[in-house]
Amino acid sequence: MKATVETFGRLDVLINNAGVVDSGPIESFSETQWDHIFDVNVKGIYLMTAAAIAHLRASDDAAIVNTASIAGKLGAPNMSAYCGSKWAAIGITKSLAREFAADGIRVNALCPGIVGTAMWLDHLMEGEGEDAFETRMQDTIPLGRPQTTADMGQGAVYLATAPNVTGVALSVAGGIDQ
């Protein structure tokens, strides 16, 4: 935060976008795996927000965007830690939106759908390849296509700049979470 404020003179937008995934049945999921997911996906939001809030309060157009997931709205088998961490991200978002409203700070969550990143290709669909990913997305997503990093960027820009939007968990998911 110090380097950002020294470089740019102020802080207007905080985007909490760190995230990790792991999966497996709850009975074989280790406490270490669980803690790692919550440390990054949940505690990271707390730490970054706590570090930024004084600077955001000094802004006349401040926003926080927390990256959650459609997994935080839907749940999935063998994904309780990840889904739980993303439900927590949405809950934190809604709480902070109310907490910071009097300061004029907007707080929202971006809920990506299925984006062809390493999280999907290297973990959730390990070894299946990009062709299998594309086919699965056509069958899974109502709009028939995966989301892109550009889609997420557009969603984040919207949430960071919409002057009267706070406390929402915006799905950019091609209709999969409906």
Side-chain angles (χ1 to χ4, degrees):
M1 296 305 149
K2 182 180 177 185
T4 298
V5 173
E6 285 176 359
T7 301
F8 298 104
R10 66 181 198 248
L11 179 68
D12 296 314
V13 177
L14 170 66
I15 299 186
N16 289 310
N17 190 43
V20 294
V21 67
D22 205 345
S23 60
I26 193 73
E27 67 270 11
S28 62
F29 210 77
S30 75
E31 185 175 350
T32 300
Q33 289 170 291
W34 186 276
D35 288 345
H36 178 65
I37 289 171
F38 274 82
D39 282 349
V40 175
N41 297 359
V42 180
K43 191 173 182 180
I45 292 172
Y46 154 72
L47 291 171
M48 291 301 294
T49 302
I53 194 60
H55 300 293
L56 292 169
R57 283 188 172 122
S59 172
D60 60 356
D61 189 26
I64 299 171
V65 179
N66 297 319
T67 301
S69 171
I70 60 165
K73 294 180 172 185
L74 300 175
N78 297 319
M79 299 283 295
S80 60
Y82 181 76
C83 293
S85 73
K86 296 306 184 173
W87 279 73
I90 293 169
I92 291 166
T93 296
K94 290 181 174 290
S95 294
L96 292 178
R98 289 181 160 249
E99 183 174 338
F100 298 148
D103 297 315
I105 300 169
R106 301 174 315 280
V107 184
N108 294 291
L110 178 67
C111 298
I114 302 174
V115 183
T117 62
M119 184 180 290
W120 270 94
L121 299 174
D122 297 343
H123 180 75
L124 298 172
M125 291 186 68
E126 184 178 4
E128 294 184 45
E130 289 192 39
D131 290 340
F133 174 78
E134 291 294 329
T135 299
R136 187 165 162 193
M137 297 311 102
Q138 289 172 5
D139 296 339
T140 303
I141 299 171
L143 286 179
R145 60 184 177 268
Q147 290 67 70
T148 67
T149 55
D151 295 330
M152 297 315 118
Q154 290 171 345
V157 168
Y158 170 73
L159 292 174
T161 59
N164 204 31
V165 176
T166 195
V168 303
L170 177 67
S171 296
V172 181
I176 196 170
D177 65 333
Q178 302 301 318

